[in-house]
Amino acid sequence: MTMKAWWVVFAASIVVESVYCAMTESQMAAALKLIRNVCQPKNKATNEQIEGMHKGDWNQDQNGMCYMSCVLGYYKLQLPDNSFDWETGVKTIEAQAPPSIAQIALVSVKNCKDAVKTLSDKCRAALEIAKCIYDQNPEKYFLP
């Protein structure tokens, strides 16, 4: 992550957390784009892989799985033991998610609290979390 991008994410998170208000749709889209722009080249995931996940293709190689680990890392949703920190997910959604996805996202995160089956591999564990969230409501899948 470039220093400029890091400062943008840091400043945005402080502003959002200090006022405890939900993001607008355009703010959320910008945040998701920023995370994708950092995680995609870092993990060499292709556009096709990422778009595939948005269409339900979870047959990913290491690059695609580690892209998702990077995404979850930005949200602080993966614990050191590779399990899903769904409680942080709930808090983040309650504080920041736009109203259009907040309720759907809350249900998805709560339903996926036990999604990880492969604790020994953080990238595979991240993909298991993302797949579970997608499977809850594919039309409203909200990860970048």
Coordinates of all heavy atoms in Angstrom, one line a residue, residues 33-105:
K33 N -13.3 0.3 -3.7 CA -12.3 0.5 -4.8 C -10.9 0.6 -4.3 O -10.0 0.0 -4.9 CB -12.7 1.7 -5.7 CG -11.9 1.8 -6.9 CD -12.3 3.0 -7.8 CE -11.4 3.2 -9.0 NZ -11.9 4.3 -9.8
L34 N -10.7 1.4 -3.3 CA -9.4 1.6 -2.7 C -8.8 0.3 -2.2 O -7.7 -0.1 -2.5 CB -9.4 2.6 -1.6 CG -8.1 2.9 -0.9 CD1 -7.1 3.5 -1.8 CD2 -8.4 3.8 0.3
I35 N -9.6 -0.5 -1.5 CA -9.2 -1.8 -1.0 C -8.8 -2.7 -2.1 O -7.8 -3.4 -2.1 CB -10.2 -2.4 0.0 CG1 -10.3 -1.5 1.3 CG2 -9.8 -3.8 0.4 CD1 -11.5 -1.8 2.2
R36 N -9.7 -2.8 -3.1 CA -9.4 -3.6 -4.3 C -8.1 -3.2 -4.9 O -7.2 -4.0 -5.3 CB -10.5 -3.6 -5.2 CG -10.3 -4.5 -6.5 CD -11.5 -4.6 -7.4 NE -11.1 -5.3 -8.6 CZ -12.0 -5.8 -9.4 NH1 -13.3 -5.7 -9.1 NH2 -11.7 -6.4 -10.5
N37 N -7.9 -1.9 -5.1 CA -6.7 -1.4 -5.8 C -5.4 -1.6 -5.0 O -4.4 -1.7 -5.6 CB -6.8 0.1 -6.0 CG -7.8 0.5 -7.2 OD1 -8.2 -0.4 -7.9 ND2 -8.3 1.7 -7.2
V38 N -5.5 -1.8 -3.7 CA -4.4 -2.2 -2.9 C -4.2 -3.7 -2.9 O -3.1 -4.2 -3.1 CB -4.5 -1.7 -1.5 CG1 -3.4 -2.2 -0.6 CG2 -4.5 -0.1 -1.5
C39 N -5.2 -4.5 -2.7 CA -5.1 -5.9 -2.5 C -4.9 -6.7 -3.8 O -4.2 -7.7 -3.8 CB -6.4 -6.5 -1.8 SG -6.5 -5.9 -0.1
Q40 N -5.5 -6.2 -4.9 CA -5.3 -6.9 -6.2 C -3.9 -7.0 -6.6 O -3.4 -8.1 -6.9 CB -6.2 -6.3 -7.2 CG -6.2 -7.1 -8.5 CD -7.2 -6.5 -9.5 OE1 -7.8 -5.5 -9.3 NE2 -7.3 -7.2 -10.6
P41 N -3.2 -5.9 -6.8 CA -1.8 -6.1 -7.3 C -0.9 -6.8 -6.2 O 0.0 -7.5 -6.6 CB -1.3 -4.6 -7.5 CG -2.3 -3.7 -6.9 CD -3.6 -4.5 -6.7
K42 N -1.2 -6.5 -5.0 CA -0.3 -7.1 -3.9 C -0.4 -8.7 -4.0 O 0.6 -9.3 -3.7 CB -0.9 -6.7 -2.6 CG -0.1 -7.2 -1.4 CD -0.7 -6.6 -0.1 CE 0.0 -7.2 1.1 NZ -0.6 -6.7 2.4
N43 N -1.5 -9.2 -4.4 CA -1.7 -10.7 -4.4 C -1.8 -11.2 -5.8 O -2.1 -12.4 -6.0 CB -3.0 -11.0 -3.6 CG -2.8 -10.7 -2.2 OD1 -2.1 -11.4 -1.5 ND2 -3.4 -9.6 -1.7
K44 N -1.6 -10.4 -6.8 CA -1.6 -10.8 -8.2 C -2.9 -11.5 -8.7 O -2.9 -12.3 -9.5 CB -0.4 -11.6 -8.6 CG 0.9 -10.9 -8.3 CD 2.1 -11.8 -8.7 CE 3.3 -11.0 -8.5 NZ 4.1 -11.3 -7.4
A45 N -4.0 -11.0 -8.0 CA -5.4 -11.6 -8.4 C -5.8 -10.9 -9.7 O -5.6 -9.7 -9.9 CB -6.4 -11.3 -7.3
T46 N -6.4 -11.6 -10.6 CA -6.8 -11.0 -11.9 C -8.2 -10.4 -11.7 O -9.0 -10.8 -10.8 CB -6.8 -12.1 -13.0 OG1 -7.8 -13.0 -12.7 CG2 -5.4 -12.7 -13.2
N47 N -8.6 -9.5 -12.7 CA -9.9 -9.0 -12.7 C -10.9 -10.2 -12.9 O -12.0 -10.1 -12.3 CB -10.1 -8.0 -13.9 CG -9.4 -6.7 -13.6 OD1 -9.3 -6.3 -12.5 ND2 -9.0 -6.0 -14.7
E48 N -10.6 -11.1 -13.7 CA -11.5 -12.3 -13.9 C -11.7 -13.1 -12.6 O -12.8 -13.5 -12.4 CB -10.9 -13.2 -15.0 CG -10.8 -12.6 -16.4 CD -9.7 -11.6 -16.6 OE1 -8.7 -11.6 -15.9 OE2 -9.9 -10.7 -17.5
Q49 N -10.7 -13.2 -11.8 CA -10.8 -13.9 -10.6 C -11.8 -13.2 -9.6 O -12.7 -13.7 -9.0 CB -9.5 -14.1 -9.8 CG -8.6 -15.2 -10.4 CD -7.3 -15.2 -9.7 OE1 -6.5 -14.3 -9.8 NE2 -7.0 -16.4 -9.1
I50 N -11.6 -11.9 -9.5 CA -12.4 -11.1 -8.6 C -13.8 -11.0 -9.1 O -14.8 -11.2 -8.3 CB -11.8 -9.7 -8.4 CG1 -10.4 -9.8 -7.7 CG2 -12.7 -8.8 -7.6 CD1 -9.6 -8.6 -7.8
E51 N -14.0 -10.8 -10.4 CA -15.3 -10.7 -11.0 C -16.0 -12.1 -10.8 O -17.2 -12.2 -10.6 CB -15.3 -10.3 -12.4 CG -14.9 -8.8 -12.6 CD -14.4 -8.5 -14.0 OE1 -14.6 -9.2 -14.9 OE2 -13.9 -7.4 -14.1
G52 N -15.2 -13.2 -11.0 CA -15.7 -14.5 -10.8 C -16.3 -14.7 -9.4 O -17.4 -15.3 -9.2
M53 N -15.6 -14.2 -8.4 CA -16.1 -14.3 -7.0 C -17.4 -13.6 -6.9 O -18.3 -14.1 -6.2 CB -15.1 -13.8 -6.0 CG -13.9 -14.8 -5.8 SD -12.7 -14.2 -4.5 CE -11.5 -13.4 -5.5
H54 N -17.6 -12.5 -7.5 CA -18.8 -11.7 -7.5 C -20.0 -12.4 -8.2 O -21.1 -12.1 -8.1 CB -18.6 -10.3 -8.0 CG -17.9 -9.4 -7.1 ND1 -18.6 -8.5 -6.3 CD2 -16.6 -9.3 -6.8 CE1 -17.7 -7.9 -5.5 NE2 -16.5 -8.3 -5.8
K55 N -19.6 -13.5 -9.0 CA -20.6 -14.3 -9.7 C -20.7 -15.7 -9.1 O -21.4 -16.5 -9.7 CB -20.2 -14.4 -11.2 CG -20.3 -13.0 -11.9 CD -19.8 -13.1 -13.3 CE -19.8 -11.8 -14.0 NZ -19.2 -11.8 -15.4
G56 N -20.1 -15.9 -8.0 CA -20.2 -17.2 -7.3 C -19.1 -18.2 -7.7 O -19.3 -19.4 -7.3
D57 N -18.1 -17.8 -8.4 CA -17.0 -18.8 -8.7 C -16.0 -18.8 -7.6 O -15.1 -17.8 -7.5 CB -16.3 -18.4 -10.0 CG -15.2 -19.3 -10.4 OD1 -14.9 -20.3 -9.7 OD2 -14.5 -19.0 -11.4
W58 N -16.0 -19.8 -6.7 CA -15.1 -19.8 -5.6 C -14.0 -20.8 -5.8 O -13.3 -21.2 -4.9 CB -15.9 -20.1 -4.3 CG -16.9 -19.0 -4.1 CD1 -18.2 -19.0 -4.5 CD2 -16.6 -17.7 -3.6 NE1 -18.7 -17.7 -4.2 CE2 -17.8 -16.9 -3.7 CE3 -15.4 -17.1 -3.1 CZ2 -17.8 -15.6 -3.3 CZ3 -15.5 -15.8 -2.7 CH2 -16.7 -15.0 -2.8
N59 N -13.8 -21.3 -7.0 CA -12.7 -22.2 -7.4 C -11.5 -21.3 -7.7 O -11.3 -20.9 -8.9 CB -13.1 -23.1 -8.6 CG -12.0 -24.1 -8.9 OD1 -11.2 -24.3 -8.1 ND2 -12.1 -24.6 -10.1
Q60 N -10.8 -20.8 -6.7 CA -9.7 -19.8 -6.8 C -8.4 -20.5 -6.5 O -8.2 -21.3 -5.7 CB -10.0 -18.7 -5.9 CG -11.3 -17.9 -6.1 CD -11.2 -17.1 -7.4 OE1 -10.2 -16.6 -7.8 NE2 -12.3 -17.1 -8.1
D61 N -7.4 -19.9 -7.2 CA -6.0 -20.3 -6.9 C -5.5 -19.5 -5.7 O -6.3 -18.7 -5.1 CB -5.1 -20.2 -8.1 CG -4.9 -18.7 -8.5 OD1 -5.3 -17.8 -7.8 OD2 -4.2 -18.5 -9.6
Q62 N -4.2 -19.7 -5.3 CA -3.7 -19.0 -4.1 C -3.8 -17.5 -4.3 O -4.1 -16.8 -3.3 CB -2.2 -19.4 -3.9 CG -1.7 -19.1 -2.6 CD -2.3 -19.9 -1.4 OE1 -2.9 -20.9 -1.7 NE2 -2.2 -19.4 -0.2
N63 N -3.6 -16.9 -5.5 CA -3.7 -15.5 -5.6 C -5.1 -15.0 -5.3 O -5.3 -13.9 -4.6 CB -3.3 -15.1 -7.1 CG -1.9 -15.4 -7.4 OD1 -1.1 -15.6 -6.5 ND2 -1.6 -15.4 -8.7
G64 N -6.1 -15.7 -5.8 CA -7.5 -15.2 -5.5 C -7.8 -15.4 -4.0 O -8.5 -14.5 -3.4
M65 N -7.4 -16.5 -3.4 CA -7.7 -16.7 -2.0 C -7.0 -15.6 -1.2 O -7.6 -15.1 -0.2 CB -7.3 -18.1 -1.6 CG -8.2 -19.2 -2.1 SD -7.8 -20.8 -1.4 CE -6.3 -21.2 -2.3
C66 N -5.7 -15.3 -1.5 CA -4.9 -14.4 -0.7 C -5.4 -12.9 -0.9 O -5.3 -12.1 0.0 CB -3.5 -14.5 -0.9 SG -2.8 -16.0 -0.2
Y67 N -6.0 -12.7 -2.1 CA -6.6 -11.4 -2.3 C -7.7 -11.2 -1.3 O -7.9 -10.1 -0.6 CB -7.2 -11.3 -3.7 CG -8.3 -10.2 -3.9 CD1 -7.8 -8.9 -4.1 CD2 -9.6 -10.5 -3.8 CE1 -8.8 -7.9 -4.2 CE2 -10.5 -9.4 -3.9 CZ -10.1 -8.1 -4.2 OH -11.0 -7.1 -4.3
M68 N -8.5 -12.2 -1.1 CA -9.6 -12.1 -0.1 C -9.1 -12.0 1.3 O -9.7 -11.3 2.1 CB -10.6 -13.3 -0.3 CG -11.9 -13.1 0.4 SD -12.7 -11.5 0.0 CE -13.1 -11.7 -1.7
S69 N -8.0 -12.6 1.6 CA -7.4 -12.5 2.9 C -7.0 -11.0 3.2 O -7.1 -10.5 4.2 CB -6.2 -13.4 3.1 OG -5.6 -13.3 4.4
C70 N -6.4 -10.4 2.1 CA -6.0 -9.0 2.2 C -7.2 -8.1 2.4 O -7.2 -7.2 3.3 CB -5.3 -8.6 0.9 SG -4.8 -6.9 0.8
V71 N -8.3 -8.4 1.7 CA -9.6 -7.6 1.9 C -10.1 -7.7 3.3 O -10.4 -6.7 4.0 CB -10.7 -8.1 0.9 CG1 -12.0 -7.5 1.3 CG2 -10.3 -7.7 -0.5
L72 N -10.1 -8.9 3.8 CA -10.6 -9.1 5.2 C -9.7 -8.5 6.2 O -10.1 -8.0 7.3 CB -10.8 -10.6 5.5 CG -11.9 -11.3 4.7 CD1 -12.0 -12.8 5.1 CD2 -13.3 -10.6 4.8
G73 N -8.4 -8.5 5.9 CA -7.4 -7.8 6.7 C -7.7 -6.3 6.9 O -7.5 -5.8 8.0
Y74 N -8.1 -5.7 5.8 CA -8.4 -4.3 5.9 C -9.6 -4.0 6.8 O -9.7 -3.0 7.4 CB -8.6 -3.7 4.5 CG -7.3 -3.2 3.9 CD1 -6.6 -4.1 3.1 CD2 -6.8 -2.0 4.3 CE1 -5.4 -3.7 2.6 CE2 -5.5 -1.6 3.8 CZ -4.8 -2.5 2.9 OH -3.6 -2.1 2.5
Y75 N -10.5 -4.9 6.8 CA -11.7 -4.8 7.7 C -11.4 -5.3 9.1 O -12.3 -5.3 9.9 CB -12.9 -5.5 7.1 CG -13.5 -4.8 5.8 CD1 -13.4 -5.5 4.6 CD2 -14.1 -3.6 5.9 CE1 -13.9 -4.9 3.5 CE2 -14.6 -3.0 4.8 CZ -14.5 -3.6 3.6 OH -15.0 -3.1 2.4
K76 N -10.3 -5.9 9.3 CA -9.9 -6.6 10.5 C -10.9 -7.7 10.9 O -11.3 -7.8 12.0 CB -9.8 -5.5 11.6 CG -8.7 -4.5 11.3 CD -8.2 -3.8 12.5 CE -7.2 -2.7 12.2 NZ -6.3 -2.8 11.2
L77 N -11.2 -8.5 9.9 CA -12.2 -9.5 10.1 C -11.7 -10.9 10.2 O -12.4 -11.9 10.4 CB -13.2 -9.5 8.9 CG -14.1 -8.2 8.8 CD1 -15.0 -8.3 7.6 CD2 -14.9 -8.0 10.1
Q78 N -10.3 -11.0 10.2 CA -9.7 -12.3 10.3 C -8.8 -12.3 11.5 O -7.9 -11.4 11.6 CB -9.0 -12.7 9.1 CG -8.8 -14.2 8.9 CD -8.4 -14.6 7.5 OE1 -8.1 -13.8 6.6 NE2 -8.3 -15.9 7.3
L79 N -9.0 -13.1 12.5 CA -8.2 -13.2 13.7 C -6.9 -13.9 13.4 O -6.7 -14.6 12.4 CB -9.0 -13.9 14.8 CG -10.2 -13.2 15.2 CD1 -11.1 -14.1 16.1 CD2 -9.9 -11.9 16.0
P80 N -5.9 -13.7 14.4 CA -4.6 -14.4 14.2 C -4.7 -15.9 14.0 O -3.8 -16.5 13.3 CB -3.8 -14.0 15.4 CG -4.4 -12.7 15.9 CD -5.9 -12.8 15.5
D81 N -5.7 -16.5 14.5 CA -5.8 -18.0 14.3 C -6.6 -18.3 13.0 O -7.0 -19.4 12.8 CB -6.5 -18.6 15.5 CG -8.0 -18.2 15.6 OD1 -8.5 -17.4 14.9 OD2 -8.7 -18.8 16.5
N82 N -6.8 -17.3 12.2 CA -7.5 -17.4 10.9 C -9.0 -17.5 11.0 O -9.7 -17.6 9.9 CB -6.9 -18.5 10.0 CG -5.4 -18.2 9.7 OD1 -5.0 -17.1 9.7 ND2 -4.6 -19.3 9.6
S83 N -9.6 -17.5 12.1 CA -11.0 -17.5 12.3 C -11.7 -16.2 11.9 O -11.0 -15.2 11.8 CB -11.4 -18.0 13.7 OG -11.0 -17.0 14.6
F84 N -12.9 -16.2 11.8 CA -13.7 -15.0 11.4 C -14.1 -14.2 12.6 O -14.7 -14.7 13.5 CB -15.0 -15.5 10.6 CG -15.9 -14.4 10.1 CD1 -15.4 -13.2 9.7 CD2 -17.2 -14.6 10.0 CE1 -16.2 -12.2 9.2 CE2 -18.1 -13.6 9.4 CZ -17.5 -12.4 9.0
D85 N -13.6 -12.9 12.6 CA -14.0 -12.0 13.7 C -15.3 -11.4 13.3 O -15.4 -10.2 13.0 CB -12.9 -11.0 13.9 CG -13.1 -10.2 15.2 OD1 -14.2 -10.3 15.8 OD2 -12.3 -9.4 15.6
W86 N -16.4 -12.2 13.4 CA -17.7 -11.7 13.0 C -18.2 -10.6 14.0 O -19.0 -9.8 13.5 CB -18.7 -12.9 13.0 CG -18.9 -13.5 14.3 CD1 -18.2 -14.5 14.9 CD2 -20.0 -13.2 15.2 NE1 -18.8 -14.8 16.1 CE2 -19.9 -14.0 16.3 CE3 -21.1 -12.3 15.1 CZ2 -20.8 -14.0 17.4 CZ3 -22.0 -12.3 16.2 CH2 -21.8 -13.1 17.3
E87 N -17.8 -10.6 15.2 CA -18.2 -9.5 16.1 C -17.7 -8.2 15.7 O -18.5 -7.2 15.7 CB -17.8 -9.9 17.5 CG -18.5 -11.1 18.1 CD -17.9 -11.6 19.4 OE1 -16.7 -11.7 19.4 OE2 -18.7 -12.0 20.3
T88 N -16.5 -8.1 15.2 CA -16.0 -6.9 14.6 C -16.8 -6.5 13.4 O -17.1 -5.3 13.1 CB -14.5 -7.0 14.4 OG1 -13.8 -7.1 15.6 CG2 -13.9 -5.7 13.6
G89 N -17.1 -7.5 12.6 CA -17.9 -7.3 11.4 C -19.2 -6.6 11.7 O -19.7 -5.7 11.1
V90 N -19.9 -7.1 12.8 CA -21.2 -6.6 13.2 C -21.0 -5.1 13.6 O -21.8 -4.3 13.2 CB -21.8 -7.4 14.3 CG1 -23.0 -6.7 15.0 CG2 -22.2 -8.8 13.8
K91 N -20.0 -4.8 14.4 CA -19.7 -3.5 14.9 C -19.5 -2.5 13.7 O -19.9 -1.4 13.7 CB -18.6 -3.4 15.9 CG -18.9 -4.1 17.2 CD -17.7 -4.1 18.1 CE -18.0 -5.0 19.3 NZ -16.8 -5.2 20.1
T92 N -18.7 -3.0 12.8 CA -18.3 -2.2 11.6 C -19.6 -1.9 10.8 O -19.8 -0.7 10.3 CB -17.2 -2.9 10.8 OG1 -16.1 -3.1 11.6 CG2 -16.9 -2.0 9.5
I93 N -20.4 -2.9 10.5 CA -21.6 -2.7 9.8 C -22.5 -1.7 10.5 O -23.1 -0.8 9.8 CB -22.3 -4.1 9.5 CG1 -21.4 -4.9 8.5 CG2 -23.7 -3.9 8.9 CD1 -21.8 -6.4 8.5
E94 N -22.7 -1.9 11.7 CA -23.6 -1.1 12.5 C -23.1 0.4 12.4 O -24.0 1.3 12.4 CB -23.7 -1.5 13.9 CG -24.5 -2.8 14.1 CD -24.5 -3.4 15.5 OE1 -23.7 -3.0 16.3 OE2 -25.4 -4.2 15.8
A95 N -21.8 0.6 12.4 CA -21.3 2.0 12.5 C -21.2 2.6 11.1 O -21.3 3.8 10.9 CB -19.9 2.0 13.2
Q96 N -20.9 1.8 10.0 CA -20.5 2.3 8.8 C -21.3 2.0 7.5 O -21.2 2.7 6.6 CB -19.0 2.0 8.5 CG -18.1 2.5 9.5 CD -16.7 2.1 9.3 OE1 -16.3 1.5 8.2 NE2 -15.8 2.4 10.2
A97 N -22.0 0.9 7.6 CA -22.7 0.4 6.3 C -23.8 1.3 5.9 O -24.6 1.8 6.8 CB -23.2 -1.0 6.5
P98 N -23.9 1.6 4.6 CA -25.1 2.3 4.1 C -26.4 1.6 4.5 O -26.4 0.3 4.5 CB -24.9 2.4 2.6 CG -23.4 2.1 2.4 CD -23.0 1.2 3.5
P99 N -27.4 2.3 4.7 CA -28.7 1.6 5.1 C -29.2 0.6 4.1 O -29.8 -0.4 4.4 CB -29.7 2.8 5.2 CG -28.8 4.0 5.5 CD -27.5 3.7 4.8
S100 N -28.8 0.8 2.8 CA -29.3 -0.1 1.8 C -28.7 -1.6 1.9 O -29.3 -2.5 1.4 CB -28.9 0.4 0.4 OG -27.5 0.5 0.3
I101 N -27.6 -1.7 2.6 CA -27.1 -3.1 2.8 C -26.9 -3.5 4.3 O -26.6 -4.6 4.5 CB -25.7 -3.3 2.1 CG1 -24.6 -2.5 2.7 CG2 -25.8 -3.0 0.6 CD1 -23.3 -3.0 2.5
A102 N -27.1 -2.6 5.2 CA -26.8 -2.8 6.6 C -27.5 -4.1 7.1 O -26.8 -4.9 7.7 CB -27.1 -1.6 7.4
Q103 N -28.8 -4.2 7.0 CA -29.5 -5.3 7.5 C -29.1 -6.7 6.9 O -28.9 -7.7 7.6 CB -31.0 -5.2 7.5 CG -31.5 -4.1 8.4 CD -31.1 -4.4 9.9 OE1 -31.2 -5.5 10.4 NE2 -30.6 -3.4 10.5
I104 N -28.9 -6.6 5.6 CA -28.5 -7.8 4.8 C -27.1 -8.2 5.3 O -26.8 -9.4 5.5 CB -28.6 -7.6 3.3 CG1 -30.0 -7.4 2.9 CG2 -27.9 -8.7 2.5 CD1 -30.2 -6.8 1.5
A105 N -26.2 -7.3 5.4 CA -24.9 -7.5 5.8 C -24.8 -8.1 7.2 O -24.0 -9.0 7.5 CB -24.0 -6.3 5.6

